């Protein structure tokens, strides 16, 4: 096969365009990384070192055979391994041919590919820009209109880029450093760039890999820069603890002076270079420095992320930039578990008892939280009751198990819509009963009292809470109504004014009802129309539920904390917890008292067997059996999960104490069988007991 890629049959070696070109000499097989990655009928089944990039040789050959029967819609030759994912679209193409026709390839999720007619587009609110604006990377002027080759930042309205400039920057920066060049946002920016087909490799930045790349930063600046240096030994002369000691500018750190040259009496005196002094004194709000000046705590993170930077602002020196990064890092980059623990400091020792029916978690919690004697800052004691128990018996319950079950009920409630990433729904009955407020309150209480992370919010809902609905742009994935999604897709894919007007006439009553009816004069009007529908359906339509939910989330100061540290909270609101592993569970459970060594060995072997799929139970089953939770809460478990070994036939889980008693058996086979039987059947019985209650 020579040096030609088996998919596109090109010899080109251009990593920026086609990905790294790699040859497996043993099998005489050459591929471009992107050609392999985007092929529709193959997936990575091997480890990274197996085959080519983890794609097995046998799978690659099958995919080449499959593609040999498909004709490229661009060059008309066979071997078109990539297909458009749009429903009913039959176009197939080679990767280079797709680039030539301006297809979009998404290097994330399922690695979807979109042909030139169905590719995603950027929607802008208005086009009140000058004839041209500079690309914020190469500074060449471009027309500020979203096209295939020109992209706009989703977080800064005045930031535009060449696609090629963005791609080069993404490859150099990697996933940890690729961010908006204006506001430094990474989360919103990366999500949009991935949607628009920018490949962001999961690697460290190229400059981080250079040896001694920051060696110069380890050297102090030692040079006197004042107009008239009085030192006879020269500007580079530096003698500590003398009048010839060099003092660096307190703002930028990249200019210096001898103490004597600036009439400084001691090294402790502040000194600014001429450039920094002019900036400070000409800023209009300069005041004499006060002792121990603190940053203005009233300024939220939204001011940093959403304010448009002025092109007239002076360029920061490296020293000032480093100071800014340190300050922002200490204020905004916080570990989520620490933040949750800080919120937990509000909880008082005084306890409030909640009577919970496990078969009706939602209504039990609702009654408890609405009780006039309930205070969210009191400790929570859970008591389980059963309506069918005529003796009125009560059983002590696990607070974390109750909160875990409550969050599951909340996620699956009619208050939210969507599959995995959910937005608020419009439920008139729930609005009438003030359930959106109660849902926000439940979520806040759960977090502060050590409950599980929600993990089901869409980025759009989260951004609305943090930055406000007016600063949030929804996407098509936020639309759970199939008919509305189809209207938006048809609008976005319209190719001429006649088709667009025909579609508007067809949907006239709907568009008029939601206030999105507009006069269509050019094909570019479709972007505003699609955006209007999106904003109405995802944001304006649920404005009342959102405001109510937001008020509930203010309980115990949770919303304020989220808005101050959005990146930390996004990790638990929009993402599910990491999958449990044998090591995670082994480290989670501490050994209580002196235990049987053989049983502990069986325990570790059992965890590994479960992880390897050699058991009928899962890691989550084990955790639920012992603690009542299917994941580890952000703030951890209280008390810490523990294990002990007892002379018994079957394991026993105590969810109130997060403890697990392991059976002492003579053989590992008996140990595994007993563990599997007890865990599986206990969870099955609990599920059957609660199955008669569905929904709220």
């Amino acid at each position: 096969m020579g040096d030609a890629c088996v998919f596109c049959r090109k010899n080109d070696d251009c990593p920026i365009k086609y990905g790294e070109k790699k040859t497996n000499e043993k099998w005489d097989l050459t591929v471009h990384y992107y050609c392999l990655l985007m092929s529709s009928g193959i997936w990575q089944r091997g480890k990274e070192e197996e085959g080519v990039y983890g794609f097995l040789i046998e799978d690659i050959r099958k995919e080449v055979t499959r593609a040999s029967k498909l004709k490229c819609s661009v060059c008309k030759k066979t071997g078109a391994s990539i297909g458009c994912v749009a429903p009913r679209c039959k176009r197939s193409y080679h990767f280079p041919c797709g680039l030539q026709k301006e297809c979009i390839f998404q290097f994330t999720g399922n690695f979807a590919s979109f042909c030139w007619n169905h590719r995603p587009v950027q929607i802008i609110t208005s086009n009140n820009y000058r004839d041209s604006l500079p690309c914020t990377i190469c500074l060449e002027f471009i027309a500020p209109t979203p096209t295939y080759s020109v992209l706009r930042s989703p977080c800064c309205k005045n930031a535009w880029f060449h696609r090629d400039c963005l791609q080069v920057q993404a490859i150099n920066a990697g996933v940890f450093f690729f961010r908006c060049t204006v506001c430094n946002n990474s989360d919103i920016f990366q999500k949009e760039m991935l949607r628009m087909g920018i490949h962001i490799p999961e690697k460290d930045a190229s400059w981080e890999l250079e040896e001694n790349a920051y060696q110069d930063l380890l050297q102090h600046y030692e040079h006197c820069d004042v107009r008239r240096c009085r030192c006879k030994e020269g500007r580079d002369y530096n003698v500590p603890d003398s009048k010839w000691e060099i003092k660096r500018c307190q703002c930028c750190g990249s200019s210096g002076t001898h103490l004597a040259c600036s009439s400084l009496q001691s090294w402790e005196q502040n000194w600014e270079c001429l450039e920094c002094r002019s900036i400070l004194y000409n800023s209009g709000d300069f005041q004499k420095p006060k002792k121990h000046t603190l940053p203005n705590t009233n300024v939220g993170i939204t001011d940093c992320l959403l304010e448009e930077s002025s092109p007239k602002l002076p360029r920061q020196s490296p020293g000032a930039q480093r100071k800014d990064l340190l300050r922002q890092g200490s204020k905004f980059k916080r570990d989520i578990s620490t933040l949750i623990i800080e919120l937990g400091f509000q909880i008082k020792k005084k306890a409030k008892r909640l009577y919970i029916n496990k078969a009706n978690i939602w209504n039990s919690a609702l009654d408890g939280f609405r009780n006039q004697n309930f205070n969210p800052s009191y400790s929570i004691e859970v008591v389980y009751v059963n309506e069918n128990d005529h003796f009125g018996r009560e059983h002590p319950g696990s607070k974390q198990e109750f909160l875990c079950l409550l969050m599951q009920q909340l996620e699956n409630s009619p208050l939210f819509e969507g599959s995995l990433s959910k937005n608020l729904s419009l439920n008139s009955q729930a609005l009438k009963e003030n359930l959106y407020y109660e849902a926000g309150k439940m979520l806040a209480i759960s977090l502060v009292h050590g409950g599980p992370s929600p993990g089901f919010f869409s980025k759009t809902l989260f951004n609305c809470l943090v930055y406000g609905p007016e600063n949030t742009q929804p996407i098509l994935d936020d639309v759970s109504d199939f008919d509305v999604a189809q209207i938006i897709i048809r609008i976005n894919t319209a190719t001429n004014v006649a088709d667009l007007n025909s579609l508007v006439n067809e949907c006239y009553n709907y568009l008029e009802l939601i206030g999105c009816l507009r006069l269509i004069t050019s094909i570019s009007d479709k972007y505003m129309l699609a955006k209007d529908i999106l904003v109405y359906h995802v944001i304006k339509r649920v404005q009342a539920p959102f405001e109510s939910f937001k008020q509930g989330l203010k309980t115990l100061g949770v919303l304020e904390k989220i808005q101050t540290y959005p990146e930390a909270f996004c990790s638990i609101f929009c993402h599910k917890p990491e999958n449990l592993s044998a090591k995670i569970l082994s480290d989670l459970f501490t050994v209580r008292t002196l235990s049987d060594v053989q049983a502990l060995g069986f325990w570790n072997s059992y965890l590994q067997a479960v992880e390897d799929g050699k058991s009928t139970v899962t890691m989550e089953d084990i955790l639920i059996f012992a603690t009542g939770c299917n994941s580890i809460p952000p703030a951890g478990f209280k008390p810490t999960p523990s294990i002990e070994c007892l002379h018994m036939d079957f394991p026993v889980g105590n969810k109130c104490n997060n403890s697990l008693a392991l059976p002492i058996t003579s053989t590992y086979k008996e140990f595994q069988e007993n563990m599997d039987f007890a865990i599986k059947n206990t969870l099955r019985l609990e599920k059957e007991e609660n199955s008669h209650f569905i929904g709220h």
Side-chain angles (χ1 to χ4, degrees):
M1 296 183 187
D3 291 329
C5 171
V6 294
F7 289 106
C8 70
R9 301 168 188 170
K10 287 183 176 289
N11 294 308
D12 305 49
D13 190 359
C14 183
I16 296 292
K17 289 180 68 176
Y18 307 136
E20 184 184 359
K21 187 179 179 183
K22 193 164 185 178
T23 300
N24 186 307
E25 295 181 358
K26 178 181 178 181
W27 301 100
D28 189 25
L29 187 145
T30 300
V31 295
H32 289 124
Y33 181 47
Y34 295 169
C35 292
L36 178 61
L37 202 60
M38 299 308 304
S39 290
S40 304
I42 191 172
W43 59 94
Q44 189 180 25
R45 293 199 301 134
K47 297 179 180 178
E48 200 64 35
E49 64 275 7
E50 291 185 86
V52 181
Y53 301 109
F55 291 86
L56 304 181
I57 299 298
E58 59 189 273
D59 292 342
I60 296 175
R61 286 181 164 172
K62 287 179 182 177
E63 179 64 357
V64 171
T65 302
R66 184 189 72 84
S68 67
K69 303 170 186 175
L70 300 172
K71 186 178 290 187
C72 176
S73 301
V74 181
C75 70
K76 308 304 178 185
K77 296 179 181 178
T78 57
S81 61
I82 305 170
C84 177
V85 299
R88 296 185 293 278
C89 182
K90 303 299 182 182
R91 291 189 180 94
S92 296
Y93 31 83
H94 305 101
F95 185 82
C97 294
L99 287 183
Q100 177 189 332
K101 284 288 285 183
E102 300 183 346
C103 298
I104 280 185
F105 304 93
Q106 293 180 342
F107 293 88
T108 184
N110 293 324
F111 294 89
S113 164
F114 298 86
C115 73
W116 49 96
N117 276 349
H118 299 122
R119 69 187 184 209
V121 295
Q122 286 192 305
I123 302 172
I124 63 172
T125 54
S126 63
N127 196 13
N128 299 324
Y129 300 103
R130 301 193 302 264
D131 291 339
S132 59
L133 285 174
C135 166
T136 61
I137 298 175
C138 73
L139 301 183
E140 288 186 9
F141 281 88
I142 53 180
T145 303
T147 63
Y148 175 80
S149 56
V150 175
L151 299 174
R152 192 186 73 160
S153 171
C155 38
C156 292
K157 297 176 182 177
N158 59 345
W160 296 81
F161 314 90
H162 290 110
R163 173 182 288 273
D164 292 343
C165 292
L166 273 173
Q167 186 58 80
V168 171
Q169 187 189 56
I171 288 177
N172 287 330
V175 70
F176 301 110
F177 290 92
F178 183 56
R179 55 194 64 210
C180 176
T181 55
V182 177
C183 72
N184 229 20
N185 177 274
S186 60
D187 187 39
I188 298 173
F189 185 75
Q190 285 192 16
K191 183 174 180 180
E192 174 67 359
M193 294 306 116
L194 285 168
R195 186 179 77 89
M196 296 307 297
I198 299 297
H199 178 222
I200 310 172
E202 292 188 8
K203 68 177 184 64
D204 216 339
S206 57
W207 56 83
E208 292 286 333
L209 303 176
E210 294 177 17
E211 190 174 355
N212 298 324
Y214 300 101
Q215 192 65 33
D216 59 325
L217 297 181
L218 302 177
Q219 301 173 1
H220 293 302
Y221 186 84
E222 295 181 352
H223 184 78
C224 181
D225 294 294
V226 297
R227 184 178 300 176
R228 291 184 181 180
C229 178
R230 301 176 184 176
C231 183
K232 295 180 180 179
E233 301 297 328
R235 291 181 178 273
D236 295 326
Y237 186 66
N238 182 31
V239 180
D241 301 321
S242 76
K243 66 179 181 179
W244 302 119
E245 180 175 3
I246 289 180
K247 169 80 175 177
R248 291 178 297 281
C249 172
Q250 67 166 345
C251 295
C252 68
S254 56
S255 294
T257 179
H258 291 112
L259 298 182
C261 296
S262 294
S263 301
L264 299 176
Q265 298 301 314
S266 70
W267 193 87
E268 283 76 18
Q269 281 185 259
N270 289 332
W271 177 80
E272 303 99 10
C273 65
L274 284 174
E275 181 185 355
C276 292
R277 193 176 305 168
S278 66
I279 295 169
L280 288 170
Y281 281 80
N282 293 328
S283 63
D285 56 353
F286 175 78
Q287 297 177 351
K288 185 177 179 180
K290 299 177 182 178
K291 292 182 179 180
H292 309 298
T293 303
L294 295 174
N296 184 356
T297 54
N298 291 326
V299 179
I301 192 170
T302 50
D303 298 300
C304 302
L305 295 183
L306 298 174
E307 184 174 300
E308 293 184 12
S309 300
S310 167
K312 294 183 181 179
L313 282 177
R315 186 179 181 87
Q316 281 187 308
S317 64
Q321 287 177 336
R322 284 197 293 276
K323 286 182 182 179
D324 280 349
L325 288 174
L326 285 172
R327 185 176 71 252
Q328 291 176 13
S330 63
K331 186 175 181 183
F332 300 125
K333 304 288 185 180
R334 298 284 303 281
D335 180 73
I336 186 61
S337 61
T338 305
L339 294 171
I340 299 295
I341 291 170
E342 286 178 3
L343 284 169
F345 291 157
Q346 304 173 79
I347 300 175
K348 301 177 175 65
K349 289 184 178 180
K350 185 174 181 179
K352 171 63 180 176
R353 180 170 290 186
L354 293 180
Y355 294 91
I356 303 299
N357 180 359
K358 287 182 76 173
N360 196 340
I361 289 284
W362 175 266
N363 287 327
S364 299
L366 205 56
D367 291 342
F369 292 160
R370 282 177 166 174
N371 188 296
Q372 61 180 359
N373 295 322
F374 177 78
N375 187 326
S377 64
Y378 289 173
S379 297
I380 293 176
E381 286 183 2
V382 174
V383 175
Y384 288 135
V385 295
N386 191 331
E387 293 175 351
N388 298 323
D389 189 342
H390 301 294
F391 296 99
R393 285 171 292 197
E394 301 174 356
H395 307 281
S398 160
K399 177 183 70 174
Q400 286 183 308
E401 178 191 30
F402 156 64
L403 294 175
C404 183
L405 293 172
L406 181 60
M407 287 302 101
Q408 291 174 14
Q409 289 277 317
L410 187 61
E411 179 177 0
N412 297 315
S413 75
L415 302 179
F416 294 90
E417 61 184 20
S419 51
L420 298 177
S421 297
K422 295 177 180 288
N423 289 290
L424 289 173
S425 66
L426 180 59
N427 187 309
S428 57
Q429 186 62 31
L431 197 60
K432 183 179 179 181
E433 296 177 10
N434 205 25
L435 293 184
Y436 290 99
Y437 170 83
E438 297 296 341
K441 180 180 174 182
M442 287 177 181
L443 206 155
I445 291 173
S446 176
L447 281 178
V448 177
H449 285 264
S453 56
F456 61 86
F457 277 38
S458 73
K459 288 290 183 65
T460 297
L461 176 55
F462 184 79
N463 289 339
C464 283
L465 290 168
V466 175
Y467 309 120
E470 68 280 3
N471 296 313
T472 301
Q473 176 58 57
I475 60 175
L476 186 60
D477 289 346
D478 294 319
V479 181
S480 59
D481 188 305
F482 179 80
D483 294 331
V484 175
Q486 287 301 305
I487 291 174
I488 296 173
I489 291 171
R490 290 175 63 191
I491 290 172
N492 279 329
T493 54
T495 56
N496 56 63
V497 176
D499 289 346
L500 193 55
N501 272 314
S502 174
L503 179 57
V504 169
N505 289 332
E506 182 182 332
C507 305
Y508 186 92
N509 291 336
Y510 169 71
L511 296 176
E512 185 180 38
L513 178 67
I514 67 174
C516 294
L517 196 61
R518 62 170 49 241
L519 181 65
I520 303 298
T521 58
S522 69
I523 190 63
S524 61
D525 290 338
K526 69 179 183 179
Y527 302 121
M528 278 300 296
L529 180 59
K531 177 188 175 297
D532 288 347
I533 299 173
L534 266 176
V535 170
Y536 169 80
H537 189 82
V538 181
I539 294 179
K540 290 183 178 179
R541 183 176 64 97
V542 294
Q543 186 173 354
F546 174 78
E547 290 301 327
S548 182
F549 179 73
K550 186 177 174 182
Q551 290 302 315
L553 203 54
K554 288 182 179 179
T555 303
L556 296 171
V558 170
L559 180 61
E560 183 182 0
K561 203 79 164 178
I562 294 170
Q563 292 173 336
T564 307
Y565 304 100
E567 289 192 15
F569 279 93
C570 182
S571 65
I572 64 168
F573 272 77
C574 303
H575 303 282
K576 292 292 185 182
E578 65 175 324
N579 292 329
L580 297 173
S581 65
K583 185 179 187 312
I584 290 175
L585 280 193
S586 178
D587 293 342
L588 180 66
F589 285 87
T590 59
V591 180
R592 193 168 63 186
T593 69
L594 293 175
S595 295
D596 185 273
V597 176
Q598 180 174 267
L600 290 178
F602 288 167
W603 162 248
N604 289 320
S605 298
Y606 180 68
L607 290 178
Q608 194 59 55
V610 173
E611 183 176 2
D612 294 340
K614 298 176 181 177
S615 168
T616 56
V617 303
T618 65
M619 292 291 178
E620 288 73 21
D621 291 340
I622 298 173
L623 193 63
I624 294 171
F625 182 77
T627 69
C629 300
N630 58 6
S631 63
I632 302 173
F637 284 103
K638 289 183 182 180
T640 302
S642 62
I643 54 173
E644 60 180 335
C645 306
L646 300 176
H647 290 280
M648 56 176 62
D649 292 330
F650 297 100
V652 175
N654 187 332
K655 297 172 183 177
C656 292
N657 297 325
N658 296 326
S659 62
L660 177 62
L662 301 175
I664 296 177
T665 60
S666 56
T667 66
Y668 171 72
K669 182 181 179 183
E670 184 183 0
F671 180 90
Q672 177 171 344
E673 288 176 350
N674 291 357
M675 291 288 290
D676 284 352
F677 177 83
I679 294 173
K680 188 176 180 181
N681 283 283
T682 299
L683 298 185
R684 179 181 59 80
L685 288 172
E686 288 180 354
K687 190 174 181 180
E688 288 176 355
E689 287 176 6
N690 302 331
S691 62
H692 69 275
F693 179 78
I694 301 174
H696 328 324

